[in-house]
């Protein structure tokens, strides 16, 4: 690829043509392919284009649904956007399994979000600390316009603290603020408040006679929300008497419960397993987060940081077997919104939220964590009984067959054949070659 300046100013067609030219494609093939994925309503396409920059086309992902999710007694059909085969199937199976065993239970532990102003200051910390309430008052006054609507909705700024961080770096301090952003994710709200806090702090120091000339010199490094939200926490669980688990994929209830429990212990103690284990949880979480127009990178980053809060990266889910009761739970931070951002702009996230009964943000936290737990239950159940490949390869087989452009008849024959044979790219190719020569 060559370097180019002014790329962003080109029209969409010009951008695609430039890429095509770089790829040595002079036949408009790329333009045809990319434009075939454009929405047929130009107004709608403009909405998609404007989500990002230098947009060329739309990248399709499957949008599926997991029915029969019973959460706190309510039955839900939960939308999921995910490209990995087996995820929706596994979550659906887990939802069905728990349907007759009380479903998923969930409670919100807290919904606080955090923002920070990081600054350098060569002053007397105790002096600032003693009169920081004054600065705090001023910060609340100066952000009154920004917070007006949020306060009317019952949220706003909960606390503003001054932190001495000099144990980490010379002259390093923080303003750590806590927010309740109600049903919005609140990133813009938090960042706007923080930037105002920084200005207020600078003005307050500059005009306060208690500070010396040297102390009036303050350097704001940055103002930004933290995606680590350990106080935006939800706990979701499933539980039943062990015998109610029944025969699980050939294992009696007691044996299954014990193997399951051990699998969770391993994921709590071994970082290699913990990472894969939590990846499975995020298969469920990210898919709902994406379908509802939320920021899956923020949820992932926070979840992984939370998984390492003890100093070692561990499983996010946990299990107990006590007094004959099997209990499996997931407790983790999930900071999402159900208003603002992409939630109402993307037609499918709007629909997703409608499918979920237009939930509040706390309720969406519960739904998302239920799907994370369902996904995790499905994975551990397979791993400790039949092995993961059985279900996986069945779905994978269909992908491989599609690769070889198998007909419907060939797909049926292959599905039958591979019930008792190992699926691999080569074995499917050979099988198709054999049936095609005999056709
Ligand atoms: C695959 O996407 C996810 C699993 O590896 C999760 C797990 O091992 O628990 C099946």
């Amino acid at each position: 690829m060559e370097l180019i300046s002014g790329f962003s100013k080109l029209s969409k067609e010009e951008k695609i043509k430039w890429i095509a030219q770089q790829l040595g494609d002079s036949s408009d093939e790329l333009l045809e392919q990319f434009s075939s994925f454009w929405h047929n309503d130009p107004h709608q396409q403009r909405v998609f284009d404007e989500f990002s920059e230098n947009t060329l086309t739309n990248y399709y992902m499957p949008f599926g649904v997991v029915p029969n999710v019973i959460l706190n007694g309510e039955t839900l059909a939960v939308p999921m956007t995910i490209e990995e085969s087996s995820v929706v199937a596994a979550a659906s199976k887990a939802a069905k399994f728990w349907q007759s065993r009380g479903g998923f239970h969930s409670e919100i532990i807290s919904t606080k979000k955090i923002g920070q102003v990081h600054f350098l200051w060569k002053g007397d910390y105790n002096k600032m600390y003693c009169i920081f309430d004054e600065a705090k008052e001023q910060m609340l006054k100066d952000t009154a316009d920004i917070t007006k609507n949020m306060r009317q909705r019952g949220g706003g700024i909960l606390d503003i603290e001054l932190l001495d961080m000099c144990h980490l770096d010379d002259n390093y301090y923080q303003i750590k603020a806590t927010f309740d952003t109600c049903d919005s994710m609140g990133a813009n709200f938090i960042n706007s408040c923080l930037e105002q806090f920084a200005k207020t702090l600078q003005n307050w120091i500059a005009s306060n006679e208690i500070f010396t000339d040297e102390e009036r010199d303050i350097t704001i490094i940055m103002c930004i929300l933290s995606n680590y939200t350990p106080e935006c926490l939800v706990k979701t669980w499933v539980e039943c008497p062990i015998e109610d688990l029944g025969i699980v994929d050939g294992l009696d209830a007691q044996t299954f419960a014990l193997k399951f429990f051990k699998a969770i212990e391993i994921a709590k103690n071994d970082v290699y397993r913990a990472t894969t284990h939590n990846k499975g949880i995020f298969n469920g979480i990210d898919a709902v987060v994406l379908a509802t127009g939320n920021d899956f990178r923020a949820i992932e980053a926070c979840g992984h940081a939370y998984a390492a809060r003890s100093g070692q990266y561990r499983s996010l889910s946990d299990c107990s077997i006590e007094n004959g009761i099997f209990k499996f739970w997931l407790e983790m931070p999930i900071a999402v919104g159900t208003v603002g951002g992409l939630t109402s702009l993307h037609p499918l996230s709007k629909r997703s939220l409608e499918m979920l009964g237009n939930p509040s943000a706390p309720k969406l936290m519960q739904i998302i964590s239920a799907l994370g737990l369902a996904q995790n239950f499905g994975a551990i159940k397979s791993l400790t009984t039949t092995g993961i490949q059985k279900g996986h390869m069945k779905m994978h087989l269909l992908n491989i067959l599609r690769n070889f452009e198998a007909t419907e008849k060939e797909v049926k024959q292959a599905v039958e054949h591979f019930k008792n044979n190992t699926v691999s790219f080569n074995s499917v190719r050979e099988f198709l070659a054999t049936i095609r020569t005999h056709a």
Side-chain angles (χ1 to χ4, degrees):
M1 293 270 170
E2 290 166 5
L3 293 172
I4 178 170
S5 65
F7 183 76
S8 66
K9 304 217 165 46
L10 300 179
S11 71
K12 191 152 71 169
E13 284 81 353
E14 285 167 338
K15 287 183 183 113
I16 296 173
K17 283 194 170 152
W18 184 82
I19 301 271
Q21 177 214 331
Q22 297 291 307
L23 294 174
D25 165 11
S26 53
S27 61
D28 281 347
E29 200 188 315
L30 192 69
L31 181 59
E32 266 169 43
Q33 187 194 28
F34 279 7
S35 59
S36 73
F37 290 101
W38 292 346
H39 200 283
N40 52 22
D41 172 358
H43 170 73
Q44 187 59 68
Q45 184 53 47
R46 253 225 340 268
V47 173
F48 291 141
D49 287 346
E50 288 172 3
F51 288 152
S52 182
E53 302 80 31
N54 290 345
T55 314
L56 304 178
T57 188
N58 306 311
Y59 189 100
Y60 284 21
M61 291 266 280
F63 177 93
V65 68
V66 175
N68 305 317
V69 177
I70 300 188
L71 177 62
N72 291 341
E74 184 187 353
T75 306
L76 298 165
V78 182
M80 283 180 127
T81 300
I82 186 151
E83 86 300 347
E84 183 176 332
S85 53
S86 306
V87 168
V88 172
S92 301
K93 266 174 91 173
K96 200 157 176 217
F97 182 93
W98 285 103
Q99 184 189 326
S100 54
R101 295 170 176 86
F104 297 86
H105 312 272
S106 185
E107 66 185 24
I108 296 292
I109 297 171
S110 50
T111 56
K112 290 179 190 163
K113 292 172 186 161
I114 304 289
Q116 300 166 305
V117 177
H118 304 266
F119 65 97
L120 300 181
W121 186 57
K122 285 187 193 151
D124 176 349
Y125 170 73
N126 287 326
K127 197 154 87 181
M128 187 182 311
Y129 185 80
C130 284
I131 56 164
F132 189 70
D133 276 353
E134 267 180 33
K136 211 158 118 176
E137 277 303 301
Q138 195 58 45
M139 285 174 195
L140 292 175
K141 267 193 205 143
D142 292 351
T143 48
D145 278 351
I146 307 174
T147 59
K148 190 169 170 222
N149 286 344
M150 197 62 88
R151 281 186 282 124
Q152 273 166 4
R153 278 150 50 198
I157 301 163
L158 302 179
D159 197 12
I160 305 173
E161 292 168 88
L162 173 68
L163 302 183
D164 180 352
M165 307 298 285
C166 293
H167 57 289
L168 296 180
D169 202 358
D170 289 346
N171 311 317
Y172 169 36
Y173 299 91
Q174 250 183 41
I175 290 173
K176 181 182 174 207
T178 315
F179 300 86
D180 177 349
T181 61
C182 302
D183 285 335
S184 67
M185 209 286 194
N188 284 332
F189 170 74
I190 294 176
N191 290 335
S192 300
C193 288
L194 295 171
E195 289 185 6
Q196 182 56 54
F197 293 166
K199 281 186 201 143
T200 303
L201 180 71
Q202 277 174 316
N203 292 339
W204 176 71
I205 288 199
S207 60
N208 199 320
E209 285 176 3
I210 196 171
F211 296 113
T212 62
D213 280 351
E214 206 203 4
E215 284 174 332
R216 296 218 160 91
D217 186 22
I218 174 170
T219 306
I220 304 292
I221 300 293
M222 59 189 161
C223 310
I224 187 74
L225 91 169
S226 171
N227 284 122
Y228 188 48
T229 55
E231 286 187 276
C232 190
L233 208 56
V234 54
K235 178 173 178 177
T236 302
W237 68 98
V238 286
E239 64 183 331
C240 70
I242 294 182
E243 64 269 19
D244 287 2
L245 291 168
I247 303 284
V248 187
D249 292 329
L251 292 187
D252 66 83
Q254 192 72 29
T255 311
F256 169 73
L258 270 176
K259 279 188 87 177
F260 195 101
F261 174 80
K262 280 289 164 201
I264 305 299
E265 288 298 297
I266 292 167
K268 278 159 70 179
N269 294 320
D270 177 78
V271 68
Y272 288 93
R273 176 56 205 150
T275 307
T276 320
H277 179 96
N278 288 345
K279 188 274 182 188
I281 294 175
F282 280 106
N283 277 345
I285 290 190
D286 286 356
V288 188
V289 169
L290 203 52
T292 55
N294 276 284
D295 180 344
F296 63 93
R297 286 88 56 212
I299 306 294
E300 282 259 358
C302 179
H304 295 302
Y306 191 72
R309 68 195 180 284
S310 67
Q312 188 192 316
Y313 186 88
R314 297 179 193 279
S315 160
L316 283 164
S317 61
D318 206 342
C319 179
S320 66
I321 299 178
E322 276 166 19
N323 305 321
I325 304 289
F326 171 87
K327 182 168 177 180
F328 177 47
W329 69 93
L330 174 65
E331 184 181 309
M332 63 177 285
I334 301 181
V336 285
T338 53
V339 296
L342 210 66
T343 53
S344 55
L345 291 179
H346 196 297
L348 290 180
S349 43
K350 200 169 164 204
R351 271 275 180 237
S352 294
L353 291 167
E354 260 173 45
M355 282 166 67
L356 296 171
N358 288 321
S360 63
K363 183 156 177 209
L364 184 59
M365 288 164 70
Q366 296 180 319
I367 296 169
I368 292 169
S369 75
L371 268 291
L373 188 70
Q375 193 56 44
N376 194 211
F377 178 80
I380 307 305
K381 176 169 160 291
S382 292
L383 289 167
T384 53
T385 57
T386 56
I388 204 76
Q389 283 311 82
K390 195 172 169 217
H392 248 193
M393 289 322 263
K394 211 164 100 193
M395 301 298 281
H396 191 46
L397 171 64
L398 298 178
N399 285 341
I400 301 176
L401 287 167
R402 212 161 294 128
N403 234 294
F404 288 116
E405 293 176 1
T407 63
E408 233 170 88
K409 189 174 163 209
E410 287 170 340
V411 169
K412 269 194 191 142
Q413 287 174 282
V415 167
E416 200 47 43
H417 173 80
F418 284 102
K419 272 185 184 158
N420 301 313
N421 290 283
T422 309
V423 177
S424 74
F425 203 76
N426 277 341
S427 62
V428 176
R429 185 184 21 220
E430 276 162 25
F431 175 75
L432 282 176
T434 313
I435 59 169
R436 281 173 182 172
T437 47
H438 291 104

